[in-house]
Amino acid sequence: MSTDSVSIPQISREKNGRPAAPERIIHLGIGNFTRAHQSWYTEHAPDAAEWGIAGFTGKGPWMRDSLEKQGCAYTLITSGAKGDEFEVISSISSMHSGVDTAALRACFANPDISVVTSTITEAGYTRNQNGDLDVANPDVASDLQALKADAQADGLKTVPVRMVAGFLARRSAGAGPITVLPCDNLAGNGAAFRKVVEQAIAEVDPSLLDWTRLNVAWATSMVDRITPATTQGDIELVERVKGWHDAVPVRTEPFHEWVIAGDFPAGRPAWEEVGAVITDDVTPYEERKLWMLNGSHSTLAYCGSLFGYETVADAVADPTLCAWINEWWDLAGRYVSVPTEEYRHQLLERFENPNIRHLLMQIASDGSEKLPVRIVPVARKALKDGASIVPPARAIAAWIQFLTRYSDRLADVNKDKVVACARACKAADGSIDRKAVKYVVSYLDHSLGGSSAFVDEVVNQMDEVSGAAAAHLMS
Ligand code: CS2
């Protein structure tokens, strides 16, 4: 907080925003991304006054506490290459802690609620390597047990089981149909979410499946807007320019995209009036975004960190790294069925945006969950049709080295496991242990681990990437 912030009034809904709209959407996982994306679309929709969001945090109560103090209104800073624009977003009507299952039940039981959206990250789906609900995950197991024993259990930790608690409450209340619309960076997020939630239902109360079949519509969406974590500089900028103190402003880029497929039997905001694309099939857009944007993001996050860079803009300005992501785009673009030429020019511009300080460390988190959806599908396609496997092997090689180099700062839901596996890849004398590399690759994807050509290329790229990084650091 800046030194004179005590004399600066706090942003508030009454003074700076608009009245809270009735709650008709539940959002699971309110973080910066949603506040720049879905909340922005809802704010700008022509029927915004009818659609309020009941927000639930991902984990702890921090975001709830911060937002509640300002009536859930906050400042969005849209930063283009030429400067910043400021606006107040008021579309979140209430905030709750993610673990407040009682509040979640009350929302699900409200017949006005028509849509449940989520940004819970890849890890929030609590899937095992087969894409099934990971019942061996201790949090999943204890949640299932708790809800089975007591339909009013509070403090549930995992989203699929929280959803079951919500549906049970909605069924009891006879509150009618509802659409689930995931907004996570996963291919087929609707089907993926449905699978784990239905598996959780089967464990807790299989009779609920009859109700969900009739009352729940599972939609799918592709979401895009680059949104870094808030910095102290953002807070001070808002104080200087707007004259109010906002503890949780969000900085984002001008670009935004939302492609949605699915039924909304109980309605939804007119998001398409403000640019959302409603379509029958999200797949081509999803693949373009996940492979081209997120795949190159992960490549930059691992390679760029090894080169000593901190942000996407700095990393992409490096000629070697820029050439590497162009190679990635050449390859990934072959497998995308919608145009990619203009898209990749745009991507480069977005990455170069000097007013977005997007930390590579932020993107590098949870690589064990991200690489299988961003890098592996392209690697498998390239292997199958004899195309170059260098770009995906490079990303995986850089990840392995990143895991050991940055184990102290790294955030990954599977950290202990993947760091131990990565450490085994390099012997004390610096030589690479091919067997250990094969194990790591198999951890990401069995079929890739079964390809000697691919494993050999990862081994080769471990040398190439560390050599290039060392040369760069010495220059
Ligand atoms: C990033 C994404 O952190 C990451 O993994 O690749 O958050 C990315 O910025 C968004 O998907 C952009 O829409």
Side-chain angles (χ1 to χ4, degrees):
M1 206 181 282
S2 68
T3 43
D4 58 354
S5 66
V6 271
S7 59
I8 297 178
Q10 177 154 296
I11 182 175
S12 75
R13 177 185 293 279
E14 289 71 30
K15 275 191 263 135
N16 312 104
R18 59 182 174 86
E23 292 171 14
R24 297 189 63 194
I25 302 173
I26 295 172
H27 184 82
L28 305 176
I30 293 273
N32 276 13
F33 178 77
T34 310
R35 297 193 301 129
H37 189 269
Q38 186 212 315
S39 307
W40 180 92
Y41 278 90
T42 306
E43 179 73 30
H44 286 261
D47 45 3
E50 293 161 39
W51 290 90
I53 301 169
F56 287 78
T57 65
K59 288 193 188 105
W62 180 79
M63 183 64 86
R64 176 201 63 188
D65 296 347
S66 308
L67 275 173
E68 265 184 351
K69 284 193 195 124
Q70 34 196 77
C72 299
Y74 59 91
T75 319
L76 185 71
I77 314 167
T78 304
S79 300
K82 294 204 183 94
D84 304 321
E85 284 176 13
F86 299 79
E87 67 174 312
V88 173
I89 303 285
S90 308
S91 53
I92 300 179
S93 295
S94 68
M95 277 299 297
H96 311 273
S97 169
V99 289
D100 189 348
T101 319
L104 188 70
R105 273 192 194 92
C107 286
F108 267 87
N110 173 358
D112 293 340
I113 295 282
S114 309
V115 185
V116 184
T117 49
S118 70
T119 43
I120 52 173
T121 79
E122 299 82 345
Y125 286 63
T126 55
R127 302 187 301 170
N128 62 19
Q129 276 152 323
N130 302 323
D132 290 319
L133 180 70
D134 187 3
V135 288
N137 172 327
D139 287 342
V140 173
S142 73
D143 276 359
L144 288 171
Q145 206 180 17
L147 192 59
K148 213 167 161 174
D150 173 9
Q152 301 305 313
D154 204 5
L156 298 175
K157 295 190 223 47
T158 56
V159 174
V161 188
R162 287 179 189 161
M163 291 289 290
V164 182
F167 286 153
L168 285 169
R170 195 164 180 92
R171 179 178 68 175
S172 305
I178 193 163
T179 295
V180 180
L181 173 62
C183 302
D184 296 287
N185 287 326
L186 268 188
N189 49 26
F193 203 25
R194 176 179 189 161
K195 189 171 180 185
V196 287
V197 173
E198 289 189 343
Q199 287 172 337
I201 293 175
E203 297 280 335
V204 174
D205 176 358
S207 76
L208 183 62
L209 284 172
D210 295 334
W211 182 87
T212 56
R213 272 186 209 114
L214 291 174
N215 291 281
V216 181
W218 298 89
T220 297
S221 78
M222 181 281 277
V223 293
D224 191 5
R225 196 166 200 184
I226 291 174
T227 310
T230 304
T231 64
Q232 182 60 29
D234 298 333
I235 296 174
E236 287 166 11
L237 177 70
V238 171
E239 290 182 351
R240 261 197 326 276
V241 177
K242 301 307 293 182
W244 62 61
H245 172 70
D246 183 337
V248 280
V250 186
R251 188 192 284 268
T252 192
E253 61 172 344
F255 182 95
H256 47 82
E257 201 173 24
W258 198 5
V259 184
I260 302 170
D263 295 329
F264 292 83
R268 58 165 172 77
W271 289 314
E272 73 279 17
E273 298 286 328
V274 282
V277 175
I278 311 296
T279 176
D280 288 340
D281 186 9
V282 173
T283 314
Y285 303 96
E286 204 169 60
E287 292 180 344
R288 181 170 68 179
K289 195 262 171 169
L290 268 177
W291 299 346
M292 309 243 345
L293 188 154
N294 297 116
S296 60
H297 251 178
S298 291
T299 304
L300 282 175
Y302 302 122
C303 297
S305 298
L306 295 171
F307 272 55
Y309 293 116
E310 280 192 10
T311 67
V312 172
D314 289 346
V316 86
D318 183 289
T320 305
L321 297 176
C322 191
W324 285 357
I325 61 163
N326 271 292
E327 280 175 37
W328 168 261
W329 286 335
D330 287 342
L331 179 68
R334 294 166 64 131
Y335 305 116
V336 172
S337 59
V338 281
T340 56
E341 261 324 290
E342 175 57 26
Y343 188 80
R344 57 191 271 184
H345 289 306
Q346 235 175 13
L347 275 185
L348 200 53
E349 249 176 57
R350 294 170 65 193
F351 288 2
E352 285 168 349
N353 185 340
N355 291 319
I356 293 285
R357 223 183 113 67
H358 199 184
L359 294 180
L360 296 174
M361 243 342 134
Q362 181 182 346
I363 300 167
S365 65
D366 285 342
S368 62
E369 300 275 337
K370 289 176 178 174
L371 296 187
V373 283
R374 303 175 171 193
I375 301 291
V376 165
V378 173
R380 288 174 64 147
K381 286 179 188 295
L383 251 186
K384 193 163 161 228
D385 70 8
S388 169
I389 51 172
V390 168
R394 180 186 285 137
I396 294 172
W399 177 60
I400 295 174
Q401 308 197 75
F402 172 92
L403 287 173
T404 47
R405 175 83 64 82
Y406 293 100
S407 58
D408 53 332
R409 295 162 61 191
L410 156 83
D412 193 300
V413 274
N414 303 305
K415 180 171 171 175
D416 292 346
K417 188 159 189 186
V418 290
V419 169
C421 294
R423 285 211 172 109
C425 292
K426 250 192 186 167
D429 65 358
S431 63
I432 296 172
D433 183 329
R434 191 184 178 285
K435 229 166 122 188
V437 173
K438 179 180 159 75
Y439 186 80
V440 179
V441 176
S442 305
Y443 179 85
L444 294 175
D445 184 73
H446 279 303
S447 74
L448 283 186
S451 156
S452 356
F454 193 79
V455 174
D456 286 345
E457 193 53 50
V458 175
V459 170
N460 185 30
Q461 287 304 317
M462 285 179 71
D463 271 340
E464 293 286 326
V465 172
S466 56
H472 169 79
L473 291 169
M474 273 168 36
S475 65

